[in-house]
Every structure is written in structure tokens, then in C-alpha cells.
């Protein structure tokens, strides 16, 4: 943390996510001379990437365990489990057809543009996409519990980002991993 001004360090060291053992950790200096708006934008991106990584990691583990959707993925009769796991499902000789991949990308784009954002302006915090419709008991929690749950989500997202990166690297290296099995 050498070379950073004391004001830049002190500005965000009490924010959610600055917790032991690292505390406030910004090795690339992305928050040097940043304002609250810049911090909120980076936190929004971190939360979104963490949520995606959690889904990706879980999806990778589940499909490698042999659990697939029932039925066929197309009218040609190809079943979901007839496609390989991991990166091979996207690129390779047995990959999902291009039209199917385009549908996946279009669906994700529609979610990104129309659903996964604060549409109503009712967000309590960065990354709150409830939009007044989904609650699941959130409003019944006290402030300390809400802060704890947000910190847990942030940490789980950070761990999942490292986890899916590790799975992707090991998939390219080949071999076998405990629990996950052959890559």
C-alpha cells in the first residue's frame, strides 16, 4: 500500500468488504483519487461478477457430477447430456451448435438490459435488484443482519470468482481433481 495517499486509503477502508485478513485491498490502485460514485460502480461490477461466478462454479460442479436437464436441447433429438462439460461445450467438435450459443447470449443480454438492474429506483444498496417485487424476508432483518448477509454474499462471490478461474485453468491443463473428477 505504499505510494497511495492517506486520504485515498481512508476514504473506503470502512466500506463493506474491507474485512480481515486483508482489510482494504486495492493492489492495482483503481480507487486512487476515486469518488463514491466510482467506488459504487466498481462494487456493482464486483457483486455482479461474483453472482455470475457463483452460478458458473455451481453449474460446472453439477454438470460434472452427471446432473443434466432432462429432455432434448433441440428438435434434432440431442439430449442435454450429449454435450461435453466445461469449455468443450462452447468450443470444440462436440460443442453446442452456433444457433444455440447465440440464443444463450441473447437471453443473457435480455437479462442484462431488462431485468438485472434497479428498474424502480428503490434499491437500498448497490446491487439491490429486488425492484419492489422480490423480498424473501429481507425487510424483516435488522441492519446488522442485512450488513452481515451482504458481506457474506460479497465474500462468496470473491471465492467463486477464484474457484471458477481455477476450474477453467485446470480444465485446460487436464488431469483429475478431487470431487470434480476428470477434466
Amino acid at each position: 500500500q505504499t505510494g497511495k495517499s492517506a486520504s485515498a486509503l481512508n476514504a473506503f477502508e470502512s466500506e463493506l468488504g474491507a474485512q480481515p485478513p486483508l482489510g482494504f485491498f486495492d493492489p492495482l490502485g483503481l480507487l486512487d483519487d476515486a469518488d463514491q460514485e466510482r467506488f459504487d460502480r466498481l462494487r456493482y461490477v464486483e457483486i455482479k461478477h461474483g453472482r455470475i461466478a457463483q452460478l458458473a462454479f455451481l453449474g460446472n460442479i453439477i454438470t460434472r457430477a452427471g446432473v443434466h436437464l432432462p429432455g432434448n436441447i433441440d428438435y434434432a433429438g440431442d439430449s442435454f447430456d450429449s454435450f461435453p462439460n466445461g469449455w468443450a461445450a462452447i468450443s470444440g467438435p462436440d460443442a453446442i451448435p452456433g444457433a444455440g450459443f447465440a440464443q444463450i447470449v441473447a437471453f443473457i443480454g435480455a437479462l442484462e438490459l431488462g431485468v438485472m438492474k434497479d428498474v424502480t429506483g428503490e434499491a437500498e444498496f448497490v446491487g439491490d435488484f429486488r425492484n419492489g417485487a422480490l423480498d424473501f424476508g429481507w425487510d424483516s432483518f435488522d441492519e446488522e443482519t442485512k450488513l452481515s448477509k451482504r458481506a457474506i454474499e460479497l465474500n462468496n462471490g470473491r471465492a467463486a470468482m477464484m474457484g471458477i478461474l481455477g476450474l477453467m485453468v485446470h480444465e485446460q491443463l487436464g488431469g483429475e481433481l478431487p470431487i470434480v473428477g476428470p477434466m
Side-chain angles (χ1 to χ4, degrees):
Q1 296 182 0
T2 314
K4 294 182 182 176
S5 67
S7 61
L9 279 176
N10 294 333
F12 304 110
E13 68 183 6
S14 63
E15 291 284 344
L16 178 72
Q19 51 207 19
L22 296 178
F24 177 75
F25 186 65
D26 182 24
L28 299 178
L30 296 174
L31 292 172
D32 288 351
D33 303 321
D35 58 1
Q36 187 66 39
E37 184 178 344
R38 170 85 172 144
F39 178 84
D40 288 345
R41 171 68 183 146
L42 292 174
R43 176 54 48 93
Y44 170 79
V45 170
E46 180 183 19
I47 290 171
K48 183 180 273 191
H49 282 89
R51 290 172 179 169
I52 293 166
Q54 289 175 64
L55 292 171
F57 186 85
L58 184 62
N60 200 310
I61 297 296
I62 295 294
T63 56
R64 288 188 186 282
V67 178
H68 299 274
L69 293 172
N72 296 329
I73 195 169
D74 58 18
Y75 291 122
D78 297 319
S79 64
F80 283 97
D81 61 358
S82 67
F83 293 99
N85 299 317
W87 186 252
I90 303 298
S91 175
D94 298 327
I96 297 170
F101 184 69
Q103 289 175 23
I104 293 170
V105 171
F107 178 67
I108 292 170
L111 287 176
E112 181 78 18
L113 295 173
V115 178
M116 303 308 286
K117 61 183 181 177
D118 181 22
V119 179
T120 62
E122 299 176 32
E124 285 183 36
F125 51 88
V126 175
D128 180 6
F129 300 146
R130 292 177 294 148
N131 294 312
L134 300 173
D135 188 291
F136 301 116
W138 182 261
D139 291 333
S140 66
F141 297 136
D142 59 35
E143 289 305 314
E144 184 179 339
T145 303
K146 288 180 179 181
L147 198 62
S148 171
K149 289 185 177 292
R150 288 178 52 211
I152 290 168
E153 179 190 22
L154 195 56
N155 280 334
N156 287 346
R158 290 170 176 172
M161 286 186 268
M162 294 296 104
I164 193 63
L165 178 64
L167 285 175
M168 292 187 311
V169 167
H170 280 282
E171 181 178 3
Q172 295 303 311
L173 293 175
E176 190 167 325
L177 291 175
I179 300 175
V180 178
M183 300 300 276

Coordinates of all heavy atoms in Angstrom, one line a residue, residues 26-89:
D26 N -6.5 -2.8 -2.5 CA -6.6 -2.3 -3.8 C -5.2 -2.3 -4.5 O -4.6 -1.2 -4.6 CB -7.2 -0.9 -3.8 CG -7.4 -0.2 -5.1 OD1 -7.5 -1.0 -6.1 OD2 -7.4 1.0 -5.2
P27 N -4.7 -3.4 -4.8 CA -3.3 -3.5 -5.3 C -3.1 -2.8 -6.6 O -2.0 -2.4 -6.9 CB -3.0 -5.0 -5.4 CG -4.4 -5.6 -5.6 CD -5.3 -4.7 -4.8
L28 N -4.1 -2.7 -7.4 CA -3.9 -2.0 -8.7 C -4.2 -0.5 -8.6 O -4.0 0.2 -9.6 CB -4.9 -2.6 -9.8 CG -4.7 -4.1 -10.0 CD1 -5.7 -4.6 -11.0 CD2 -3.3 -4.4 -10.5
G29 N -4.6 0.0 -7.5 CA -4.8 1.4 -7.3 C -6.0 1.9 -8.1 O -6.0 3.1 -8.5
L30 N -7.0 1.1 -8.3 CA -8.2 1.5 -9.0 C -9.0 2.6 -8.3 O -9.8 3.3 -8.9 CB -9.1 0.3 -9.3 CG -8.5 -0.8 -10.2 CD1 -9.5 -2.0 -10.3 CD2 -8.2 -0.3 -11.6
L31 N -8.8 2.7 -7.0 CA -9.6 3.7 -6.2 C -8.7 4.9 -5.8 O -9.2 5.7 -5.0 CB -10.2 3.0 -5.0 CG -11.3 2.0 -5.3 CD1 -11.7 1.3 -4.1 CD2 -12.5 2.7 -6.0
D32 N -7.5 5.0 -6.3 CA -6.7 6.2 -6.1 C -7.4 7.4 -6.6 O -7.8 7.4 -7.7 CB -5.3 6.1 -6.7 CG -4.4 5.1 -6.1 OD1 -4.8 4.5 -5.0 OD2 -3.4 4.7 -6.6
D33 N -7.6 8.3 -5.7 CA -8.3 9.6 -6.1 C -9.7 9.4 -6.7 O -10.2 10.1 -7.5 CB -7.5 10.4 -7.1 CG -6.1 10.7 -6.6 OD1 -6.0 11.0 -5.4 OD2 -5.1 10.6 -7.3
A34 N -10.4 8.3 -6.2 CA -11.7 8.0 -6.7 C -12.8 8.6 -5.8 O -12.5 8.8 -4.6 CB -12.0 6.5 -6.8
D35 N -13.9 8.9 -6.3 CA -15.0 9.4 -5.5 C -16.0 8.2 -5.2 O -15.8 7.1 -5.6 CB -15.8 10.5 -6.2 CG -16.3 10.1 -7.6 OD1 -16.2 9.0 -8.0 OD2 -16.9 11.0 -8.2
Q36 N -17.1 8.5 -4.4 CA -18.0 7.5 -4.0 C -18.7 6.9 -5.2 O -19.0 5.7 -5.3 CB -19.1 8.1 -3.1 CG -20.0 7.0 -2.5 CD -19.2 6.0 -1.5 OE1 -18.4 6.4 -0.8 NE2 -19.6 4.8 -1.6
E37 N -19.0 7.7 -6.3 CA -19.6 7.1 -7.5 C -18.8 6.1 -8.2 O -19.3 5.0 -8.6 CB -19.9 8.3 -8.4 CG -20.7 7.9 -9.7 CD -21.0 9.0 -10.6 OE1 -20.9 10.2 -10.2 OE2 -21.3 8.7 -11.8
R38 N -17.5 6.3 -8.2 CA -16.5 5.4 -8.8 C -16.5 4.1 -8.0 O -16.5 3.0 -8.5 CB -15.1 6.0 -9.0 CG -14.0 5.0 -9.4 CD -13.9 4.9 -10.8 NE -12.7 4.1 -11.1 CZ -12.7 3.2 -12.1 NH1 -13.7 3.0 -12.9 NH2 -11.6 2.5 -12.3
F39 N -16.4 4.3 -6.7 CA -16.4 3.1 -5.8 C -17.7 2.3 -6.0 O -17.6 1.0 -6.1 CB -16.3 3.5 -4.3 CG -16.3 2.4 -3.4 CD1 -15.2 1.6 -3.1 CD2 -17.5 2.0 -2.8 CE1 -15.2 0.5 -2.2 CE2 -17.6 0.9 -1.9 CZ -16.4 0.2 -1.6
D40 N -18.8 2.9 -6.0 CA -20.1 2.2 -6.1 C -20.2 1.5 -7.5 O -20.7 0.4 -7.5 CB -21.3 3.2 -6.0 CG -21.5 3.7 -4.6 OD1 -21.0 3.1 -3.7 OD2 -22.2 4.7 -4.5
R41 N -19.6 2.1 -8.5 CA -19.6 1.4 -9.8 C -18.8 0.1 -9.8 O -19.2 -0.9 -10.3 CB -19.1 2.4 -10.9 CG -18.9 1.7 -12.3 CD -20.1 1.3 -12.9 NE -19.8 0.6 -14.2 CZ -20.5 -0.4 -14.7 NH1 -21.6 -0.9 -14.1 NH2 -20.1 -1.0 -15.8
L42 N -17.6 0.2 -9.2 CA -16.7 -0.9 -9.1 C -17.3 -2.0 -8.2 O -17.2 -3.2 -8.4 CB -15.3 -0.5 -8.6 CG -14.5 0.3 -9.6 CD1 -13.2 0.8 -8.9 CD2 -14.2 -0.5 -10.9
R43 N -18.0 -1.6 -7.1 CA -18.7 -2.5 -6.2 C -19.8 -3.2 -6.9 O -20.0 -4.4 -6.8 CB -19.2 -1.8 -5.0 CG -20.0 -2.6 -4.0 CD -19.3 -3.9 -3.5 NE -17.9 -3.8 -3.1 CZ -17.5 -3.5 -1.8 NH1 -18.4 -3.4 -0.8 NH2 -16.3 -3.4 -1.5
Y44 N -20.6 -2.5 -7.7 CA -21.7 -3.1 -8.5 C -21.1 -4.1 -9.5 O -21.6 -5.2 -9.6 CB -22.3 -1.9 -9.3 CG -23.3 -2.4 -10.4 CD1 -24.6 -2.8 -10.1 CD2 -22.9 -2.4 -11.7 CE1 -25.5 -3.2 -11.0 CE2 -23.8 -2.8 -12.7 CZ -25.1 -3.2 -12.4 OH -25.9 -3.6 -13.3
V45 N -20.0 -3.8 -10.1 CA -19.4 -4.8 -11.1 C -18.9 -6.0 -10.3 O -19.0 -7.1 -10.7 CB -18.3 -4.1 -11.9 CG1 -17.4 -5.1 -12.7 CG2 -18.8 -3.1 -12.8
E46 N -18.3 -5.8 -9.1 CA -17.8 -6.9 -8.3 C -18.9 -7.8 -7.9 O -18.8 -9.0 -7.9 CB -17.1 -6.3 -7.1 CG -16.5 -7.4 -6.2 CD -15.8 -6.9 -4.9 OE1 -16.1 -5.7 -4.5 OE2 -15.1 -7.7 -4.3
I47 N -20.0 -7.2 -7.4 CA -21.2 -8.0 -7.0 C -21.7 -8.8 -8.2 O -22.0 -10.0 -8.1 CB -22.2 -7.2 -6.3 CG1 -21.7 -6.7 -5.0 CG2 -23.5 -7.9 -6.2 CD1 -22.6 -5.6 -4.3
K48 N -21.9 -8.2 -9.3 CA -22.5 -8.8 -10.5 C -21.6 -10.0 -10.9 O -22.0 -11.1 -11.2 CB -22.7 -7.8 -11.6 CG -23.3 -8.5 -12.8 CD -23.5 -7.5 -14.0 CE -24.8 -6.8 -13.8 NZ -25.2 -6.0 -14.9
H49 N -20.3 -9.7 -11.0 CA -19.3 -10.8 -11.4 C -19.3 -11.9 -10.4 O -19.2 -13.1 -10.8 CB -17.9 -10.2 -11.6 CG -17.7 -9.5 -12.9 ND1 -18.0 -8.2 -13.0 CD2 -17.3 -10.0 -14.1 CE1 -17.7 -7.8 -14.3 NE2 -17.4 -8.9 -15.0
G50 N -19.4 -11.6 -9.1 CA -19.5 -12.6 -8.1 C -20.7 -13.5 -8.2 O -20.7 -14.7 -8.1
R51 N -21.9 -12.9 -8.5 CA -23.1 -13.7 -8.7 C -23.0 -14.6 -9.9 O -23.4 -15.7 -9.9 CB -24.3 -12.7 -8.8 CG -24.6 -12.0 -7.5 CD -25.7 -11.0 -7.7 NE -26.0 -10.3 -6.5 CZ -26.7 -9.2 -6.3 NH1 -27.2 -8.6 -7.4 NH2 -27.0 -8.7 -5.2
I52 N -22.4 -14.1 -11.0 CA -22.3 -14.9 -12.2 C -21.3 -16.0 -11.9 O -21.5 -17.2 -12.3 CB -21.8 -14.0 -13.4 CG1 -22.9 -13.0 -13.8 CG2 -21.3 -14.9 -14.5 CD1 -22.5 -11.9 -14.7
A53 N -20.2 -15.7 -11.2 CA -19.2 -16.7 -10.9 C -19.8 -17.8 -10.0 O -19.4 -19.0 -10.1 CB -18.0 -16.1 -10.2
Q54 N -20.7 -17.5 -9.1 CA -21.3 -18.5 -8.2 C -22.1 -19.4 -9.0 O -22.1 -20.6 -8.8 CB -22.1 -17.8 -7.1 CG -21.3 -17.1 -6.1 CD -22.2 -16.3 -5.1 OE1 -22.9 -16.9 -4.3 NE2 -22.0 -15.0 -5.0
L55 N -22.9 -18.9 -10.0 CA -23.7 -19.7 -10.9 C -22.8 -20.6 -11.8 O -23.1 -21.8 -12.0 CB -24.6 -18.8 -11.7 CG -25.8 -18.1 -11.0 CD1 -26.5 -17.2 -11.9 CD2 -26.7 -19.1 -10.4
A56 N -21.7 -20.0 -12.3 CA -20.8 -20.7 -13.1 C -20.1 -21.9 -12.4 O -20.1 -23.0 -12.9 CB -19.8 -19.8 -13.7
F57 N -19.7 -21.6 -11.2 CA -19.0 -22.6 -10.4 C -19.9 -23.8 -10.1 O -19.6 -24.9 -10.3 CB -18.4 -22.0 -9.1 CG -17.6 -23.0 -8.3 CD1 -16.2 -23.2 -8.6 CD2 -18.1 -23.7 -7.3 CE1 -15.5 -24.1 -7.9 CE2 -17.4 -24.6 -6.6 CZ -16.1 -24.8 -6.9
L58 N -21.1 -23.4 -9.6 CA -22.1 -24.4 -9.3 C -22.5 -25.2 -10.5 O -22.6 -26.5 -10.4 CB -23.3 -23.8 -8.6 CG -24.4 -24.7 -8.1 CD1 -23.8 -25.6 -7.0 CD2 -25.6 -24.0 -7.6
G59 N -22.7 -24.5 -11.6 CA -23.1 -25.2 -12.8 C -22.0 -26.2 -13.3 O -22.3 -27.3 -13.8
N60 N -20.8 -25.8 -13.2 CA -19.7 -26.6 -13.6 C -19.6 -27.9 -12.7 O -19.5 -29.0 -13.2 CB -18.4 -25.8 -13.4 CG -17.2 -26.4 -14.2 OD1 -16.9 -27.6 -14.1 ND2 -16.6 -25.6 -15.0
I61 N -19.7 -27.7 -11.4 CA -19.7 -28.9 -10.5 C -20.9 -29.8 -10.7 O -20.7 -31.0 -10.8 CB -19.7 -28.4 -9.0 CG1 -18.4 -27.6 -8.7 CG2 -19.8 -29.5 -8.0 CD1 -17.1 -28.3 -8.9
I62 N -22.1 -29.3 -10.9 CA -23.3 -30.1 -11.0 C -23.2 -30.9 -12.3 O -23.5 -32.1 -12.3 CB -24.5 -29.2 -11.0 CG1 -24.7 -28.5 -9.7 CG2 -25.8 -29.9 -11.4 CD1 -25.0 -29.5 -8.6
T63 N -22.8 -30.2 -13.4 CA -22.8 -31.0 -14.7 C -21.7 -32.0 -14.7 O -21.8 -33.1 -15.3 CB -22.7 -30.0 -15.9 OG1 -21.5 -29.2 -15.8 CG2 -23.9 -29.2 -16.1
R64 N -20.6 -31.7 -14.1 CA -19.5 -32.7 -14.0 C -19.9 -33.9 -13.1 O -19.3 -35.0 -13.2 CB -18.2 -32.1 -13.5 CG -17.6 -31.2 -14.6 CD -16.2 -30.7 -14.2 NE -15.7 -29.8 -15.1 CZ -15.2 -30.1 -16.3 NH1 -15.1 -31.3 -16.7 NH2 -14.8 -29.2 -17.1
A65 N -20.8 -33.7 -12.2 CA -21.3 -34.8 -11.4 C -22.4 -35.6 -12.1 O -22.8 -36.6 -11.6 CB -22.0 -34.2 -10.1
G66 N -22.7 -35.2 -13.4 CA -23.6 -36.0 -14.2 C -25.0 -35.6 -14.1 O -25.9 -36.3 -14.7
V67 N -25.3 -34.5 -13.5 CA -26.7 -34.0 -13.4 C -26.9 -33.0 -14.6 O -26.3 -32.0 -14.7 CB -27.0 -33.2 -12.1 CG1 -28.4 -32.7 -12.0 CG2 -26.7 -34.2 -10.9
H68 N -27.9 -33.4 -15.4 CA -28.2 -32.5 -16.6 C -29.7 -32.4 -16.7 O -30.5 -33.2 -16.1 CB -27.8 -33.2 -17.9 CG -26.3 -33.4 -17.9 ND1 -25.4 -32.4 -18.4 CD2 -25.5 -34.5 -17.6 CE1 -24.2 -32.9 -18.3 NE2 -24.2 -34.1 -17.9
L69 N -30.2 -31.4 -17.4 CA -31.6 -31.2 -17.6 C -32.2 -32.4 -18.4 O -31.5 -32.9 -19.3 CB -31.9 -29.9 -18.4 CG -31.6 -28.6 -17.7 CD1 -31.7 -27.4 -18.6 CD2 -32.5 -28.4 -16.5
P70 N -33.4 -32.8 -18.1 CA -34.0 -33.9 -18.9 C -34.4 -33.4 -20.3 O -34.6 -32.2 -20.5 CB -35.2 -34.3 -18.0 CG -35.5 -33.1 -17.3 CD -34.3 -32.3 -17.0
G71 N -34.6 -34.3 -21.1 CA -35.1 -34.0 -22.5 C -34.1 -33.6 -23.5 O -32.9 -33.9 -23.3
N72 N -34.5 -33.0 -24.6 CA -33.7 -32.7 -25.7 C -33.4 -31.2 -25.7 O -34.3 -30.4 -25.4 CB -34.3 -33.2 -27.0 CG -34.4 -34.7 -27.0 OD1 -33.6 -35.4 -26.5 ND2 -35.4 -35.2 -27.7
I73 N -32.3 -30.8 -26.2 CA -31.9 -29.4 -26.3 C -32.4 -28.8 -27.7 O -32.5 -27.6 -27.8 CB -30.4 -29.2 -26.1 CG1 -30.1 -27.8 -25.9 CG2 -29.6 -29.8 -27.3 CD1 -28.6 -27.5 -25.4
D74 N -32.6 -29.7 -28.6 CA -33.1 -29.2 -29.9 C -34.0 -30.2 -30.6 O -34.3 -31.3 -30.0 CB -31.9 -29.0 -30.9 CG -31.0 -30.2 -31.1 OD1 -31.5 -31.3 -30.8 OD2 -29.9 -30.0 -31.5
Y75 N -34.6 -29.9 -31.7 CA -35.6 -30.7 -32.4 C -34.9 -31.9 -33.1 O -35.6 -32.9 -33.5 CB -36.4 -29.9 -33.4 CG -37.3 -28.9 -32.8 CD1 -37.3 -27.6 -33.0 CD2 -38.3 -29.4 -31.9 CE1 -38.1 -26.7 -32.5 CE2 -39.2 -28.5 -31.3 CZ -39.1 -27.1 -31.6 OH -39.9 -26.2 -31.0
A76 N -33.6 -31.9 -33.2 CA -32.9 -33.0 -33.8 C -32.8 -34.2 -32.9 O -32.3 -35.3 -33.3 CB -31.5 -32.6 -34.2
G77 N -33.1 -34.0 -31.6 CA -33.1 -35.1 -30.6 C -31.8 -35.2 -29.8 O -31.6 -36.2 -29.1
D78 N -31.0 -34.1 -29.8 CA -29.8 -34.1 -29.0 C -30.2 -33.8 -27.6 O -30.8 -32.8 -27.3 CB -28.8 -33.1 -29.5 CG -28.3 -33.3 -30.9 OD1 -28.0 -34.5 -31.2 OD2 -28.2 -32.3 -31.7
S79 N -29.8 -34.8 -26.7 CA -30.1 -34.6 -25.3 C -29.1 -33.6 -24.6 O -28.0 -33.4 -25.1 CB -30.2 -35.9 -24.5 OG -28.9 -36.5 -24.5
F80 N -29.5 -33.0 -23.5 CA -28.6 -32.1 -22.8 C -27.3 -32.8 -22.4 O -26.3 -32.2 -22.4 CB -29.3 -31.5 -21.5 CG -30.3 -30.5 -21.9 CD1 -31.7 -30.8 -22.0 CD2 -29.9 -29.2 -22.0 CE1 -32.6 -29.8 -22.3 CE2 -30.8 -28.2 -22.3 CZ -32.2 -28.5 -22.5
D81 N -27.4 -34.1 -22.0 CA -26.2 -34.7 -21.5 C -25.3 -35.3 -22.7 O -24.3 -35.8 -22.4 CB -26.5 -35.9 -20.5 CG -27.4 -36.9 -21.1 OD1 -27.8 -36.8 -22.3 OD2 -27.7 -37.9 -20.4
S82 N -25.8 -35.0 -23.9 CA -24.9 -35.5 -25.0 C -23.8 -34.5 -25.3 O -22.9 -34.8 -26.1 CB -25.8 -35.7 -26.3 OG -26.3 -34.4 -26.8
F83 N -23.9 -33.3 -24.7 CA -22.8 -32.3 -24.9 C -21.8 -32.4 -23.8 O -22.1 -32.7 -22.7 CB -23.4 -30.9 -25.0 CG -24.3 -30.7 -26.2 CD1 -25.7 -30.8 -26.1 CD2 -23.7 -30.4 -27.4 CE1 -26.5 -30.6 -27.2 CE2 -24.5 -30.3 -28.6 CZ -25.9 -30.4 -28.5
P84 N -20.5 -32.1 -24.1 CA -19.5 -32.2 -23.1 C -19.6 -31.1 -22.0 O -20.4 -30.1 -22.2 CB -18.2 -32.0 -23.9 CG -18.6 -31.3 -25.1 CD -20.0 -31.7 -25.4
N85 N -18.9 -31.2 -20.9 CA -18.9 -30.3 -19.8 C -17.8 -29.2 -20.1 O -16.9 -29.3 -20.8 CB -18.6 -31.0 -18.5 CG -19.6 -32.0 -18.2 OD1 -20.8 -31.8 -18.3 ND2 -19.1 -33.2 -17.7
G86 N -18.0 -28.1 -19.4 CA -17.0 -27.0 -19.3 C -16.8 -26.3 -20.7 O -17.8 -26.1 -21.4
W87 N -15.6 -25.9 -20.9 CA -15.3 -25.2 -22.1 C -15.6 -25.9 -23.4 O -15.9 -25.3 -24.4 CB -13.8 -24.7 -22.1 CG -13.4 -23.8 -23.2 CD1 -12.7 -24.1 -24.3 CD2 -13.8 -22.5 -23.4 NE1 -12.6 -23.0 -25.1 CE2 -13.3 -22.0 -24.6 CE3 -14.6 -21.6 -22.6 CZ2 -13.5 -20.7 -25.1 CZ3 -14.8 -20.3 -23.1 CH2 -14.2 -19.9 -24.3
A88 N -15.5 -27.2 -23.4 CA -15.8 -28.1 -24.5 C -17.2 -27.9 -25.0 O -17.5 -28.2 -26.2 CB -15.4 -29.5 -24.2
A89 N -18.1 -27.5 -24.1 CA -19.5 -27.3 -24.6 C -19.6 -26.1 -25.4 O -20.6 -25.9 -26.2 CB -20.4 -27.2 -23.3

